Amino acid sequence: MSAGMNAIMEKPRPEVRARRSSFGIVKSGVLLFLSTLVVTQLYPLLWLFTYSLKTNEEILSGSFFSLPQVAQWSNYTDALEAGNYWRYLFNSFFVTSVTMASVIVLAAMAAYAITRFQWKYGQLIMLIFLLGMMIPLQSTLLPLMIIFKNMGILNTHLALILPYVAFSTPLAVFILCGFLKTIPHELEESAVMDGANVYRTFWSIILPVSVPPIMTVCILTFINIWNEYILASTFISAERLKTLPFGVNSFVSQYSVNYGAIGAFLVLGALPVIVIYFLLSEKITKGMVAGAVKG
């Protein structure tokens, strides 16, 4: 009798079985979607890597999905030597680092003033920054060319850093404002009671708490500037000042193109972005959702 009762009790109800079945279908659908997403994101990188190991004959044969018959590691040697990789890499790191530091400082101070100060022009300033996100970069090329020529900074790294900072700051302010609104005012009040002024409060309390969104700003700024070509090709003509995207032109001549070396150079150019993203991926994810929940 007790065994029969236990069997009846252990047997799941029809609605429970239906719920489990629907959950299994949803789970399978989600896994299929994520697997498809991973494949579509990783495949271009894998294809580019195999492309960089091929000869020109294999690339021009039209067999885009085939593996190289013999891995041409000499393409990477050509990319490092003939492509001036190290010089362009240093220039890109210099311009990107200065821009990122300037954007973080300016955007953090602007976001702090907009969200934490009680002044009537805060929303107006925020609106101006949001309008700055809508200005196309291409529409500023001619005015900036004239301005930089009159200032005497054309064909210098400063001619790149200034517009990079201007175009990266609005998005950074938008991200940081969303986070700073969630910080309790009690932190600042306790700092004021301890004798800290506005600047000490900002540097010692607000900035350390804002590390997650700052990391998000860093990686977004890094990616946008690292791959930028239009401004760099417009304002820079000296070979010693060119950034990494210019390296591809080193393998294109009047009568021939070294496609394998171009692929190798693209792999080497994307490698720093991939490494930095994986190192900061956890903090980037926290920064993207930091301002989503009030607390």
Side-chain angles (χ1 to χ4, degrees):
M1 184 68 179
S2 60
M5 291 294 293
N6 291 335
I8 294 175
M9 294 178 63
E10 291 176 359
K11 186 177 181 180
R13 296 179 180 179
E15 57 270 19
V16 175
R17 291 198 300 269
R19 192 180 301 113
R20 290 179 180 176
S21 178
S22 61
F23 177 77
I25 294 174
V26 172
K27 183 178 180 181
S28 301
V30 171
L31 290 176
L32 179 62
F33 173 74
L34 293 178
S35 301
T36 305
L37 189 63
V38 168
V39 171
T40 56
Q41 295 297 318
L42 291 181
Y43 174 75
L45 295 175
L46 296 176
W47 178 86
L48 180 61
F49 179 69
T50 57
Y51 179 94
S52 67
L53 297 176
K54 294 181 179 180
T55 62
N56 277 4
E57 290 74 15
E58 291 175 323
I59 293 173
L60 296 176
S61 65
S63 56
F64 297 104
F65 304 102
S66 63
L67 295 176
Q69 296 180 358
V70 178
Q72 303 295 319
W73 296 105
S74 59
N75 290 335
Y76 284 87
T77 304
D78 295 338
L80 292 173
E81 296 177 357
N84 294 324
Y85 176 78
W86 297 113
R87 178 189 297 174
Y88 294 154
L89 182 68
F90 173 79
N91 292 335
S92 292
F93 266 119
F94 175 76
V95 172
T96 305
S97 301
V98 175
T99 303
M100 287 172 53
S102 303
V103 168
I104 291 172
V105 173
L106 294 176
M109 291 191 294
Y112 181 65
I114 292 172
T115 57
R116 313 303 286 186
F117 291 175
Q118 301 296 329
W119 58 312
K120 60 181 179 179
Y121 297 111
Q123 295 302 320
L124 177 61
I125 299 299
M126 184 63 186
L127 178 61
I128 293 175
F129 277 111
L130 294 179
L131 291 175
M133 298 172 60
M134 305 176 187
I135 300 176
L137 183 145
Q138 293 81 359
S139 64
T140 64
L141 292 179
L142 182 58
L144 288 177
M145 172 71 76
I146 297 174
I147 293 173
F148 291 161
K149 183 178 180 181
N150 294 333
M151 293 175 60
I153 62 173
L154 201 61
N155 201 28
T156 65
H157 282 154
L158 187 60
L160 293 181
I161 294 172
L162 291 179
Y164 286 164
V165 172
F167 281 101
S168 301
T169 300
L171 179 60
V173 170
F174 177 75
I175 294 174
L176 292 175
C177 280
F179 176 80
L180 292 181
K181 290 178 180 178
T182 66
I183 298 178
H185 286 276
E186 288 75 11
L187 288 176
E188 296 164 277
E189 293 173 359
S190 60
V192 171
M193 293 179 63
D194 291 338
N197 56 20
V198 174
Y199 302 101
R200 181 63 181 274
T201 302
F202 173 75
W203 290 106
S204 300
I205 296 179
I206 299 299
L207 277 186
V209 174
S210 306
V211 169
I214 287 176
M215 290 296 104
T216 301
V217 171
C218 284
I219 191 62
L220 292 178
T221 304
F222 183 87
I223 292 175
N224 291 334
I225 296 174
W226 193 261
N227 298 322
E228 203 282 322
Y229 183 80
I230 296 177
L231 291 180
S233 61
T234 304
F235 301 143
I236 298 294
S237 59
E239 187 71 22
R240 61 183 180 85
L241 298 176
K242 291 182 178 180
T243 53
L244 206 56
F246 284 93
V248 176
N249 299 330
S250 304
F251 309 104
V252 180
S253 62
Q254 185 176 359
Y255 301 105
S256 64
V257 179
N258 191 344
Y259 294 103
I262 290 177
F265 194 91
L266 293 175
V267 171
L268 293 174
L271 194 59
V273 180
I274 297 173
V275 171
I276 290 177
Y277 182 82
F278 276 104
L279 290 176
L280 303 178
S281 59
E282 183 178 355
K283 292 184 179 180
I284 294 168
T285 304
K286 291 181 180 179
M288 293 299 290
V289 301
V293 181
K294 295 288 183 180

